[in-house]
PDB file of all heavy atoms in Angstrom:
ATOM      1  N   LYS L 185     -10.087  12.269  13.522  1.00  0.00           N
ATOM      2  CA  LYS L 185      -9.293  11.087  13.684  1.00  0.00           C
ATOM      3  C   LYS L 185      -9.179  10.345  12.468  1.00  0.00           C
ATOM      4  O   LYS L 185      -8.141   9.896  11.999  1.00  0.00           O
ATOM      5  CB  LYS L 185      -9.912  10.174  14.734  1.00  0.00           C
ATOM      6  CG  LYS L 185      -9.812  10.679  16.180  1.00  0.00           C
ATOM      7  CD  LYS L 185     -10.515   9.704  17.168  1.00  0.00           C
ATOM      8  CE  LYS L 185     -10.416  10.138  18.614  1.00  0.00           C
ATOM      9  NZ  LYS L 185     -11.142   9.182  19.473  1.00  0.00           N
ATOM     10  N   ILE L 186     -10.287  10.246  11.637  1.00  0.00           N
ATOM     11  CA  ILE L 186     -10.248   9.547  10.394  1.00  0.00           C
ATOM     12  C   ILE L 186      -9.373  10.213   9.393  1.00  0.00           C
ATOM     13  O   ILE L 186      -8.539   9.563   8.667  1.00  0.00           O
ATOM     14  CB  ILE L 186     -11.661   9.371   9.827  1.00  0.00           C
ATOM     15  CG1 ILE L 186     -12.489   8.357  10.755  1.00  0.00           C
ATOM     16  CG2 ILE L 186     -11.685   8.801   8.379  1.00  0.00           C
ATOM     17  CD1 ILE L 186     -13.966   8.342  10.439  1.00  0.00           C
ATOM     18  N   VAL L 187      -9.518  11.553   9.256  1.00  0.00           N
ATOM     19  CA  VAL L 187      -8.623  12.345   8.374  1.00  0.00           C
ATOM     20  C   VAL L 187      -7.178  12.207   8.722  1.00  0.00           C
ATOM     21  O   VAL L 187      -6.366  12.000   7.904  1.00  0.00           O
ATOM     22  CB  VAL L 187      -9.082  13.818   8.317  1.00  0.00           C
ATOM     23  CG1 VAL L 187      -8.132  14.620   7.538  1.00  0.00           C
ATOM     24  CG2 VAL L 187     -10.519  13.918   7.801  1.00  0.00           C
ATOM     25  N   SER L 188      -6.887  12.307   9.991  1.00  0.00           N
ATOM     26  CA  SER L 188      -5.513  12.161  10.475  1.00  0.00           C
ATOM     27  C   SER L 188      -5.001  10.765  10.186  1.00  0.00           C
ATOM     28  O   SER L 188      -3.823  10.574   9.786  1.00  0.00           O
ATOM     29  CB  SER L 188      -5.443  12.429  12.064  1.00  0.00           C
ATOM     30  OG  SER L 188      -4.168  12.206  12.488  1.00  0.00           O
ATOM     31  N   HIS L 189      -5.802   9.732  10.477  1.00  0.00           N
ATOM     32  CA  HIS L 189      -5.462   8.351  10.144  1.00  0.00           C
ATOM     33  C   HIS L 189      -5.111   8.138   8.653  1.00  0.00           C
ATOM     34  O   HIS L 189      -4.139   7.456   8.297  1.00  0.00           O
ATOM     35  CB  HIS L 189      -6.589   7.439  10.541  1.00  0.00           C
ATOM     36  CG  HIS L 189      -6.195   5.954  10.623  1.00  0.00           C
ATOM     37  ND1 HIS L 189      -5.955   5.288  11.784  1.00  0.00           N
ATOM     38  CD2 HIS L 189      -6.158   5.069   9.542  1.00  0.00           C
ATOM     39  CE1 HIS L 189      -5.646   4.046  11.436  1.00  0.00           C
ATOM     40  NE2 HIS L 189      -5.801   3.921  10.159  1.00  0.00           N
ATOM     41  N   ALA L 190      -5.889   8.727   7.819  1.00  0.00           N
ATOM     42  CA  ALA L 190      -5.728   8.589   6.332  1.00  0.00           C
ATOM     43  C   ALA L 190      -4.331   9.114   6.002  1.00  0.00           C
ATOM     44  O   ALA L 190      -3.636   8.542   5.061  1.00  0.00           O
ATOM     45  CB  ALA L 190      -6.836   9.350   5.636  1.00  0.00           C
ATOM     46  N   LYS L 191      -3.958  10.217   6.576  1.00  0.00           N
ATOM     47  CA  LYS L 191      -2.646  10.809   6.222  1.00  0.00           C
ATOM     48  C   LYS L 191      -1.449  10.018   6.806  1.00  0.00           C
ATOM     49  O   LYS L 191      -0.522   9.586   6.152  1.00  0.00           O
ATOM     50  CB  LYS L 191      -2.524  12.267   6.643  1.00  0.00           C
ATOM     51  CG  LYS L 191      -1.165  12.894   6.334  1.00  0.00           C
ATOM     52  CD  LYS L 191      -1.099  14.314   6.842  1.00  0.00           C
ATOM     53  CE  LYS L 191       0.275  14.884   6.485  1.00  0.00           C
ATOM     54  NZ  LYS L 191       0.445  16.258   7.097  1.00  0.00           N
ATOM     55  N   GLU L 192      -1.614   9.656   8.119  1.00  0.00           N
ATOM     56  CA  GLU L 192      -0.490   9.048   8.892  1.00  0.00           C
ATOM     57  C   GLU L 192      -0.174   7.645   8.332  1.00  0.00           C
ATOM     58  O   GLU L 192       0.997   7.222   8.258  1.00  0.00           O
ATOM     59  CB  GLU L 192      -0.866   8.953  10.326  1.00  0.00           C
ATOM     60  CG  GLU L 192       0.246   8.412  11.191  1.00  0.00           C
ATOM     61  CD  GLU L 192      -0.018   8.522  12.623  1.00  0.00           C
ATOM     62  OE1 GLU L 192      -1.117   9.025  13.019  1.00  0.00           O
ATOM     63  OE2 GLU L 192       0.851   8.125  13.491  1.00  0.00           O
ATOM     64  N   TYR L 193      -1.252   6.976   7.823  1.00  0.00           N
ATOM     65  CA  TYR L 193      -0.932   5.590   7.413  1.00  0.00           C
ATOM     66  C   TYR L 193      -1.083   5.310   5.890  1.00  0.00           C
ATOM     67  O   TYR L 193      -1.332   4.301   5.358  1.00  0.00           O
ATOM     68  CB  TYR L 193      -1.971   4.619   8.150  1.00  0.00           C
ATOM     69  CG  TYR L 193      -1.668   4.637   9.605  1.00  0.00           C
ATOM     70  CD1 TYR L 193      -2.462   5.354  10.529  1.00  0.00           C
ATOM     71  CD2 TYR L 193      -0.561   3.970  10.134  1.00  0.00           C
ATOM     72  CE1 TYR L 193      -2.047   5.425  11.847  1.00  0.00           C
ATOM     73  CE2 TYR L 193      -0.202   4.118  11.499  1.00  0.00           C
ATOM     74  CZ  TYR L 193      -0.985   4.721  12.305  1.00  0.00           C
ATOM     75  OH  TYR L 193      -0.639   4.746  13.628  1.00  0.00           O
ATOM     76  N   GLY L 194      -0.840   6.415   5.105  1.00  0.00           N
ATOM     77  CA  GLY L 194      -0.584   6.265   3.751  1.00  0.00           C
ATOM     78  C   GLY L 194      -1.764   6.128   2.772  1.00  0.00           C
ATOM     79  O   GLY L 194      -1.708   5.481   1.759  1.00  0.00           O
ATOM     80  N   PHE L 195      -2.866   6.682   3.228  1.00  0.00           N
ATOM     81  CA  PHE L 195      -4.092   6.642   2.446  1.00  0.00           C
ATOM     82  C   PHE L 195      -4.326   7.866   1.587  1.00  0.00           C
ATOM     83  O   PHE L 195      -4.513   7.781   0.377  1.00  0.00           O
ATOM     84  CB  PHE L 195      -5.357   6.359   3.275  1.00  0.00           C
ATOM     85  CG  PHE L 195      -5.432   4.889   3.765  1.00  0.00           C
ATOM     86  CD1 PHE L 195      -4.834   4.550   4.968  1.00  0.00           C
ATOM     87  CD2 PHE L 195      -6.102   3.987   3.044  1.00  0.00           C
ATOM     88  CE1 PHE L 195      -4.906   3.208   5.415  1.00  0.00           C
ATOM     89  CE2 PHE L 195      -6.177   2.589   3.491  1.00  0.00           C
ATOM     90  CZ  PHE L 195      -5.518   2.210   4.683  1.00  0.00           C
ATOM     91  N   VAL L 196      -4.292   9.009   2.190  1.00  0.00           N
ATOM     92  CA  VAL L 196      -4.530  10.287   1.454  1.00  0.00           C
ATOM     93  C   VAL L 196      -3.604  11.358   1.993  1.00  0.00           C
ATOM     94  O   VAL L 196      -3.525  11.539   3.215  1.00  0.00           O
ATOM     95  CB  VAL L 196      -6.012  10.758   1.613  1.00  0.00           C
ATOM     96  CG1 VAL L 196      -6.232  11.963   0.804  1.00  0.00           C
ATOM     97  CG2 VAL L 196      -6.958   9.681   1.226  1.00  0.00           C
ATOM     98  N   PHE L 197      -2.953  12.014   1.075  1.00  0.00           N
ATOM     99  CA  PHE L 197      -2.077  13.171   1.480  1.00  0.00           C
ATOM    100  C   PHE L 197      -2.652  14.501   0.834  1.00  0.00           C
ATOM    101  O   PHE L 197      -3.141  14.440  -0.329  1.00  0.00           O
ATOM    102  CB  PHE L 197      -0.730  12.950   0.900  1.00  0.00           C
ATOM    103  CG  PHE L 197       0.003  11.689   1.286  1.00  0.00           C
ATOM    104  CD1 PHE L 197       0.645  10.884   0.417  1.00  0.00           C
ATOM    105  CD2 PHE L 197      -0.096  11.245   2.597  1.00  0.00           C
ATOM    106  CE1 PHE L 197       1.294   9.703   0.742  1.00  0.00           C
ATOM    107  CE2 PHE L 197       0.509  10.030   2.988  1.00  0.00           C
ATOM    108  CZ  PHE L 197       1.189   9.250   2.053  1.00  0.00           C
ATOM    109  N   PRO L 198      -2.439  15.608   1.465  1.00  0.00           N
ATOM    110  CA  PRO L 198      -2.685  16.841   0.811  1.00  0.00           C
ATOM    111  C   PRO L 198      -1.743  16.999  -0.332  1.00  0.00           C
ATOM    112  O   PRO L 198      -0.595  16.746  -0.274  1.00  0.00           O
ATOM    113  CB  PRO L 198      -2.443  17.964   1.880  1.00  0.00           C
ATOM    114  CG  PRO L 198      -2.470  17.189   3.224  1.00  0.00           C
ATOM    115  CD  PRO L 198      -2.015  15.816   2.905  1.00  0.00           C
ATOM    116  N   SER L 199      -2.276  17.478  -1.504  1.00  0.00           N
ATOM    117  CA  SER L 199      -1.466  17.579  -2.795  1.00  0.00           C
ATOM    118  C   SER L 199      -0.506  18.762  -2.541  1.00  0.00           C
ATOM    119  O   SER L 199      -0.796  19.817  -1.980  1.00  0.00           O
ATOM    120  CB  SER L 199      -2.357  17.827  -3.900  1.00  0.00           C
ATOM    121  OG  SER L 199      -1.600  18.011  -5.103  1.00  0.00           O
ATOM    122  N   SER L 200       0.665  18.521  -3.092  1.00  0.00           N
ATOM    123  CA  SER L 200       1.778  19.537  -3.076  1.00  0.00           C
ATOM    124  C   SER L 200       2.017  20.106  -1.618  1.00  0.00           C
ATOM    125  O   SER L 200       2.295  21.274  -1.444  1.00  0.00           O
ATOM    126  CB  SER L 200       1.369  20.739  -3.955  1.00  0.00           C
ATOM    127  OG  SER L 200       0.833  20.342  -5.200  1.00  0.00           O
ATOM    128  N   GLU L 201       2.056  19.139  -0.729  1.00  0.00           N
ATOM    129  CA  GLU L 201       2.174  19.519   0.674  1.00  0.00           C
ATOM    130  C   GLU L 201       3.430  20.302   1.002  1.00  0.00           C
ATOM    131  O   GLU L 201       3.408  21.207   1.892  1.00  0.00           O
ATOM    132  CB  GLU L 201       1.988  18.347   1.572  1.00  0.00           C
ATOM    133  CG  GLU L 201       1.790  18.701   3.053  1.00  0.00           C
ATOM    134  CD  GLU L 201       1.530  17.530   3.961  1.00  0.00           C
ATOM    135  OE1 GLU L 201       1.808  16.405   3.513  1.00  0.00           O
ATOM    136  OE2 GLU L 201       1.066  17.711   5.077  1.00  0.00           O
ATOM    137  N   ILE L 202       4.509  19.896   0.321  1.00  0.00           N
ATOM    138  CA  ILE L 202       5.821  20.611   0.630  1.00  0.00           C
ATOM    139  C   ILE L 202       5.741  22.081   0.212  1.00  0.00           C
ATOM    140  O   ILE L 202       6.522  22.957   0.663  1.00  0.00           O
ATOM    141  CB  ILE L 202       6.961  19.942  -0.023  1.00  0.00           C
ATOM    142  CG1 ILE L 202       6.905  19.950  -1.595  1.00  0.00           C
ATOM    143  CG2 ILE L 202       7.163  18.487   0.427  1.00  0.00           C
ATOM    144  CD1 ILE L 202       8.116  19.484  -2.296  1.00  0.00           C
ATOM    145  N   TYR L 203       4.706  22.478  -0.581  1.00  0.00           N
ATOM    146  CA  TYR L 203       4.461  23.856  -0.958  1.00  0.00           C
ATOM    147  C   TYR L 203       3.263  24.403  -0.217  1.00  0.00           C
ATOM    148  O   TYR L 203       2.652  25.316  -0.685  1.00  0.00           O
ATOM    149  CB  TYR L 203       4.372  24.061  -2.474  1.00  0.00           C
ATOM    150  CG  TYR L 203       5.591  23.652  -3.241  1.00  0.00           C
ATOM    151  CD1 TYR L 203       5.642  22.481  -3.972  1.00  0.00           C
ATOM    152  CD2 TYR L 203       6.672  24.509  -3.226  1.00  0.00           C
ATOM    153  CE1 TYR L 203       6.813  22.089  -4.615  1.00  0.00           C
ATOM    154  CE2 TYR L 203       7.829  24.209  -4.018  1.00  0.00           C
ATOM    155  CZ  TYR L 203       7.886  22.998  -4.673  1.00  0.00           C
ATOM    156  OH  TYR L 203       9.015  22.591  -5.297  1.00  0.00           O
ATOM    157  N   ASP L 204       2.975  23.777   0.900  1.00  0.00           N
ATOM    158  CA  ASP L 204       1.817  24.197   1.739  1.00  0.00           C
ATOM    159  C   ASP L 204       0.458  23.769   1.114  1.00  0.00           C
ATOM    160  O   ASP L 204      -0.561  24.304   1.500  1.00  0.00           O
ATOM    161  CB  ASP L 204       1.832  25.761   2.040  1.00  0.00           C
ATOM    162  CG  ASP L 204       3.070  26.086   2.833  1.00  0.00           C
ATOM    163  OD1 ASP L 204       3.443  25.311   3.670  1.00  0.00           O
ATOM    164  OD2 ASP L 204       3.596  27.224   2.645  1.00  0.00           O
ATOM    165  N   GLY L 205       0.490  22.834   0.133  1.00  0.00           N
ATOM    166  CA  GLY L 205      -0.677  22.341  -0.376  1.00  0.00           C
ATOM    167  C   GLY L 205      -1.480  23.241  -1.351  1.00  0.00           C
ATOM    168  O   GLY L 205      -1.104  24.387  -1.558  1.00  0.00           O
ATOM    169  N   LEU L 206      -2.501  22.553  -1.925  1.00  0.00           N
ATOM    170  CA  LEU L 206      -3.433  23.174  -2.863  1.00  0.00           C
ATOM    171  C   LEU L 206      -4.808  22.905  -2.348  1.00  0.00           C
ATOM    172  O   LEU L 206      -5.158  21.739  -2.192  1.00  0.00           O
ATOM    173  CB  LEU L 206      -3.205  22.741  -4.281  1.00  0.00           C
ATOM    174  CG  LEU L 206      -4.014  23.425  -5.347  1.00  0.00           C
ATOM    175  CD1 LEU L 206      -3.738  24.915  -5.427  1.00  0.00           C
ATOM    176  CD2 LEU L 206      -3.777  22.725  -6.725  1.00  0.00           C
ATOM    177  N   GLN L 207      -5.577  23.929  -2.014  1.00  0.00           N
ATOM    178  CA  GLN L 207      -6.869  23.648  -1.314  1.00  0.00           C
ATOM    179  C   GLN L 207      -7.758  22.701  -2.164  1.00  0.00           C
ATOM    180  O   GLN L 207      -7.997  22.903  -3.394  1.00  0.00           O
ATOM    181  CB  GLN L 207      -7.608  25.051  -1.184  1.00  0.00           C
ATOM    182  CG  GLN L 207      -8.871  24.848  -0.362  1.00  0.00           C
ATOM    183  CD  GLN L 207      -9.608  26.214  -0.121  1.00  0.00           C
ATOM    184  OE1 GLN L 207      -9.400  27.105  -0.859  1.00  0.00           O
ATOM    185  NE2 GLN L 207     -10.514  26.278   0.836  1.00  0.00           N
ATOM    186  N   ALA L 208      -8.350  21.734  -1.442  1.00  0.00           N
ATOM    187  CA  ALA L 208      -9.322  20.826  -2.046  1.00  0.00           C
ATOM    188  C   ALA L 208      -8.777  19.931  -3.106  1.00  0.00           C
ATOM    189  O   ALA L 208      -9.505  19.571  -4.119  1.00  0.00           O
ATOM    190  CB  ALA L 208     -10.536  21.617  -2.515  1.00  0.00           C
ATOM    191  N   VAL L 209      -7.482  19.719  -3.125  1.00  0.00           N
ATOM    192  CA  VAL L 209      -6.847  18.752  -3.994  1.00  0.00           C
ATOM    193  C   VAL L 209      -6.044  17.762  -3.207  1.00  0.00           C
ATOM    194  O   VAL L 209      -5.263  18.200  -2.316  1.00  0.00           O
ATOM    195  CB  VAL L 209      -5.982  19.392  -5.092  1.00  0.00           C
ATOM    196  CG1 VAL L 209      -5.446  18.453  -6.082  1.00  0.00           C
ATOM    197  CG2 VAL L 209      -6.691  20.521  -5.855  1.00  0.00           C
ATOM    198  N   TYR L 210      -6.167  16.483  -3.470  1.00  0.00           N
ATOM    199  CA  TYR L 210      -5.547  15.476  -2.584  1.00  0.00           C
ATOM    200  C   TYR L 210      -4.873  14.399  -3.499  1.00  0.00           C
ATOM    201  O   TYR L 210      -5.228  14.178  -4.592  1.00  0.00           O
ATOM    202  CB  TYR L 210      -6.551  14.816  -1.684  1.00  0.00           C
ATOM    203  CG  TYR L 210      -7.075  15.751  -0.590  1.00  0.00           C
ATOM    204  CD1 TYR L 210      -8.201  16.540  -0.810  1.00  0.00           C
ATOM    205  CD2 TYR L 210      -6.391  15.870   0.667  1.00  0.00           C
ATOM    206  CE1 TYR L 210      -8.614  17.384   0.163  1.00  0.00           C
ATOM    207  CE2 TYR L 210      -6.809  16.697   1.634  1.00  0.00           C
ATOM    208  CZ  TYR L 210      -7.969  17.480   1.406  1.00  0.00           C
ATOM    209  OH  TYR L 210      -8.442  18.346   2.372  1.00  0.00           O
ATOM    210  N   ASP L 211      -3.833  13.810  -2.944  1.00  0.00           N
ATOM    211  CA  ASP L 211      -3.130  12.715  -3.504  1.00  0.00           C
ATOM    212  C   ASP L 211      -3.452  11.368  -2.751  1.00  0.00           C
ATOM    213  O   ASP L 211      -3.463  11.412  -1.426  1.00  0.00           O
ATOM    214  CB  ASP L 211      -1.661  12.923  -3.581  1.00  0.00           C
ATOM    215  CG  ASP L 211      -1.232  14.145  -4.283  1.00  0.00           C
ATOM    216  OD1 ASP L 211      -2.014  14.534  -5.213  1.00  0.00           O
ATOM    217  OD2 ASP L 211      -0.239  14.796  -3.999  1.00  0.00           O
ATOM    218  N   TYR L 212      -3.518  10.292  -3.412  1.00  0.00           N
ATOM    219  CA  TYR L 212      -3.728   9.013  -2.711  1.00  0.00           C
ATOM    220  C   TYR L 212      -2.477   8.318  -2.513  1.00  0.00           C
ATOM    221  O   TYR L 212      -1.667   8.180  -3.514  1.00  0.00           O
ATOM    222  CB  TYR L 212      -4.698   8.115  -3.524  1.00  0.00           C
ATOM    223  CG  TYR L 212      -6.130   8.603  -3.366  1.00  0.00           C
ATOM    224  CD1 TYR L 212      -6.608   9.636  -4.217  1.00  0.00           C
ATOM    225  CD2 TYR L 212      -6.979   8.019  -2.561  1.00  0.00           C
ATOM    226  CE1 TYR L 212      -7.995  10.028  -4.177  1.00  0.00           C
ATOM    227  CE2 TYR L 212      -8.382   8.445  -2.422  1.00  0.00           C
ATOM    228  CZ  TYR L 212      -8.834   9.443  -3.191  1.00  0.00           C
ATOM    229  OH  TYR L 212     -10.090   9.894  -3.120  1.00  0.00           O
ATOM    230  N   GLY L 213      -2.183   7.980  -1.221  1.00  0.00           N
ATOM    231  CA  GLY L 213      -0.874   7.270  -0.966  1.00  0.00           C
ATOM    232  C   GLY L 213      -0.916   5.827  -1.332  1.00  0.00           C
ATOM    233  O   GLY L 213      -1.889   5.334  -1.978  1.00  0.00           O
ATOM    234  N   PRO L 214       0.133   5.051  -0.909  1.00  0.00           N
ATOM    235  CA  PRO L 214       0.241   3.722  -1.379  1.00  0.00           C
ATOM    236  C   PRO L 214      -0.975   2.836  -0.987  1.00  0.00           C
ATOM    237  O   PRO L 214      -1.398   2.093  -1.862  1.00  0.00           O
ATOM    238  CB  PRO L 214       1.481   3.274  -0.521  1.00  0.00           C
ATOM    239  CG  PRO L 214       2.306   4.467  -0.314  1.00  0.00           C
ATOM    240  CD  PRO L 214       1.238   5.582  -0.062  1.00  0.00           C
ATOM    241  N   TYR L 215      -1.488   2.986   0.185  1.00  0.00           N
ATOM    242  CA  TYR L 215      -2.618   2.174   0.552  1.00  0.00           C
ATOM    243  C   TYR L 215      -3.953   2.684   0.057  1.00  0.00           C
ATOM    244  O   TYR L 215      -4.851   2.038  -0.275  1.00  0.00           O
ATOM    245  CB  TYR L 215      -2.630   1.890   2.083  1.00  0.00           C
ATOM    246  CG  TYR L 215      -1.321   1.268   2.580  1.00  0.00           C
ATOM    247  CD1 TYR L 215      -0.561   1.942   3.509  1.00  0.00           C
ATOM    248  CD2 TYR L 215      -0.907   0.118   2.058  1.00  0.00           C
ATOM    249  CE1 TYR L 215       0.640   1.470   3.932  1.00  0.00           C
ATOM    250  CE2 TYR L 215       0.346  -0.436   2.411  1.00  0.00           C
ATOM    251  CZ  TYR L 215       1.153   0.229   3.326  1.00  0.00           C
ATOM    252  OH  TYR L 215       2.356  -0.301   3.765  1.00  0.00           O
ATOM    253  N   GLY L 216      -4.052   4.012  -0.012  1.00  0.00           N
ATOM    254  CA  GLY L 216      -5.237   4.657  -0.588  1.00  0.00           C
ATOM    255  C   GLY L 216      -5.364   4.391  -2.028  1.00  0.00           C
ATOM    256  O   GLY L 216      -6.435   4.163  -2.525  1.00  0.00           O
ATOM    257  N   ALA L 217      -4.266   4.379  -2.766  1.00  0.00           N
ATOM    258  CA  ALA L 217      -4.344   4.051  -4.261  1.00  0.00           C
ATOM    259  C   ALA L 217      -4.839   2.646  -4.408  1.00  0.00           C
ATOM    260  O   ALA L 217      -5.616   2.368  -5.405  1.00  0.00           O
ATOM    261  CB  ALA L 217      -2.927   4.248  -4.867  1.00  0.00           C
ATOM    262  N   GLU L 218      -4.359   1.731  -3.609  1.00  0.00           N
ATOM    263  CA  GLU L 218      -4.727   0.344  -3.719  1.00  0.00           C
ATOM    264  C   GLU L 218      -6.325   0.101  -3.374  1.00  0.00           C
ATOM    265  O   GLU L 218      -6.991  -0.491  -4.100  1.00  0.00           O
ATOM    266  CB  GLU L 218      -3.970  -0.600  -2.788  1.00  0.00           C
ATOM    267  CG  GLU L 218      -2.567  -0.860  -3.296  1.00  0.00           C
ATOM    268  CD  GLU L 218      -2.418  -1.775  -4.472  1.00  0.00           C
ATOM    269  OE1 GLU L 218      -3.473  -2.521  -4.709  1.00  0.00           O
ATOM    270  OE2 GLU L 218      -1.491  -1.866  -5.148  1.00  0.00           O
ATOM    271  N   LEU L 219      -6.806   0.794  -2.263  1.00  0.00           N
ATOM    272  CA  LEU L 219      -8.105   0.662  -1.892  1.00  0.00           C
ATOM    273  C   LEU L 219      -9.004   1.364  -2.955  1.00  0.00           C
ATOM    274  O   LEU L 219     -10.046   0.798  -3.269  1.00  0.00           O
ATOM    275  CB  LEU L 219      -8.335   1.465  -0.489  1.00  0.00           C
ATOM    276  CG  LEU L 219      -9.748   1.542  -0.006  1.00  0.00           C
ATOM    277  CD1 LEU L 219     -10.406   0.144   0.098  1.00  0.00           C
ATOM    278  CD2 LEU L 219      -9.831   2.215   1.331  1.00  0.00           C
ATOM    279  N   LYS L 220      -8.622   2.499  -3.487  1.00  0.00           N
ATOM    280  CA  LYS L 220      -9.465   3.150  -4.538  1.00  0.00           C
ATOM    281  C   LYS L 220      -9.645   2.283  -5.732  1.00  0.00           C
ATOM    282  O   LYS L 220     -10.627   2.116  -6.371  1.00  0.00           O
ATOM    283  CB  LYS L 220      -8.858   4.563  -4.778  1.00  0.00           C
ATOM    284  CG  LYS L 220      -9.836   5.359  -5.653  1.00  0.00           C
ATOM    285  CD  LYS L 220      -9.209   6.743  -5.881  1.00  0.00           C
ATOM    286  CE  LYS L 220     -10.155   7.606  -6.745  1.00  0.00           C
ATOM    287  NZ  LYS L 220      -9.593   8.937  -7.082  1.00  0.00           N
ATOM    288  N   LYS L 221      -8.458   1.729  -6.124  1.00  0.00           N
ATOM    289  CA  LYS L 221      -8.419   0.855  -7.293  1.00  0.00           C
ATOM    290  C   LYS L 221      -9.313  -0.329  -7.072  1.00  0.00           C
ATOM    291  O   LYS L 221     -10.087  -0.759  -8.049  1.00  0.00           O
ATOM    292  CB  LYS L 221      -7.041   0.423  -7.660  1.00  0.00           C
ATOM    293  CG  LYS L 221      -6.938  -0.455  -8.886  1.00  0.00           C
ATOM    294  CD  LYS L 221      -5.540  -0.923  -9.116  1.00  0.00           C
ATOM    295  CE  LYS L 221      -5.347  -1.788 -10.464  1.00  0.00           C
ATOM    296  NZ  LYS L 221      -6.287  -2.942 -10.454  1.00  0.00           N
ATOM    297  N   ASN L 222      -9.245  -0.914  -5.914  1.00  0.00           N
ATOM    298  CA  ASN L 222     -10.173  -2.130  -5.616  1.00  0.00           C
ATOM    299  C   ASN L 222     -11.617  -1.724  -5.702  1.00  0.00           C
ATOM    300  O   ASN L 222     -12.392  -2.493  -6.250  1.00  0.00           O
ATOM    301  CB  ASN L 222      -9.814  -2.613  -4.238  1.00  0.00           C
ATOM    302  CG  ASN L 222      -8.451  -3.281  -4.178  1.00  0.00           C
ATOM    303  OD1 ASN L 222      -7.907  -3.636  -5.151  1.00  0.00           O
ATOM    304  ND2 ASN L 222      -7.902  -3.497  -2.963  1.00  0.00           N
ATOM    305  N   LEU L 223     -12.013  -0.546  -5.220  1.00  0.00           N
ATOM    306  CA  LEU L 223     -13.362  -0.064  -5.291  1.00  0.00           C
ATOM    307  C   LEU L 223     -13.805   0.168  -6.790  1.00  0.00           C
ATOM    308  O   LEU L 223     -14.893  -0.193  -7.114  1.00  0.00           O
ATOM    309  CB  LEU L 223     -13.497   1.239  -4.451  1.00  0.00           C
ATOM    310  CG  LEU L 223     -13.532   1.072  -2.977  1.00  0.00           C
ATOM    311  CD1 LEU L 223     -13.267   2.428  -2.303  1.00  0.00           C
ATOM    312  CD2 LEU L 223     -14.749   0.424  -2.504  1.00  0.00           C
ATOM    313  N   LYS L 224     -12.884   0.753  -7.558  1.00  0.00           N
ATOM    314  CA  LYS L 224     -13.247   1.015  -8.927  1.00  0.00           C
ATOM    315  C   LYS L 224     -13.335  -0.234  -9.695  1.00  0.00           C
ATOM    316  O   LYS L 224     -14.247  -0.388 -10.519  1.00  0.00           O
ATOM    317  CB  LYS L 224     -12.148   1.929  -9.625  1.00  0.00           C
ATOM    318  CG  LYS L 224     -12.158   3.371  -9.038  1.00  0.00           C
ATOM    319  CD  LYS L 224     -11.358   4.254  -9.883  1.00  0.00           C
ATOM    320  CE  LYS L 224      -9.835   4.022  -9.861  1.00  0.00           C
ATOM    321  NZ  LYS L 224      -9.076   4.960 -10.591  1.00  0.00           N
ATOM    322  N   ASP L 225     -12.412  -1.204  -9.471  1.00  0.00           N
ATOM    323  CA  ASP L 225     -12.460  -2.454 -10.211  1.00  0.00           C
ATOM    324  C   ASP L 225     -13.715  -3.287  -9.824  1.00  0.00           C
ATOM    325  O   ASP L 225     -14.395  -3.824 -10.746  1.00  0.00           O
ATOM    326  CB  ASP L 225     -11.293  -3.328  -9.760  1.00  0.00           C
ATOM    327  CG  ASP L 225      -9.928  -2.859 -10.431  1.00  0.00           C
ATOM    328  OD1 ASP L 225     -10.038  -2.020 -11.368  1.00  0.00           O
ATOM    329  OD2 ASP L 225      -8.933  -3.299  -9.959  1.00  0.00           O
ATOM    330  N   LEU L 226     -14.145  -3.217  -8.554  1.00  0.00           N
ATOM    331  CA  LEU L 226     -15.399  -3.884  -8.146  1.00  0.00           C
ATOM    332  C   LEU L 226     -16.591  -3.238  -8.821  1.00  0.00           C
ATOM    333  O   LEU L 226     -17.477  -4.015  -9.316  1.00  0.00           O
ATOM    334  CB  LEU L 226     -15.519  -3.724  -6.608  1.00  0.00           C
ATOM    335  CG  LEU L 226     -16.781  -4.407  -6.039  1.00  0.00           C
ATOM    336  CD1 LEU L 226     -16.708  -5.964  -6.265  1.00  0.00           C
ATOM    337  CD2 LEU L 226     -16.892  -4.054  -4.608  1.00  0.00           C
TER     338      LEU L 226
END
């Protein structure tokens, strides 16, 4: 559920998903990028 939530609501996407993805590589979506930046800044 958490993994599905992360994708559906713009936190984490499989990288290169339109090409069926690249194993163990991920992109951070709009809200994921903000959350990760906040954690790094903190």
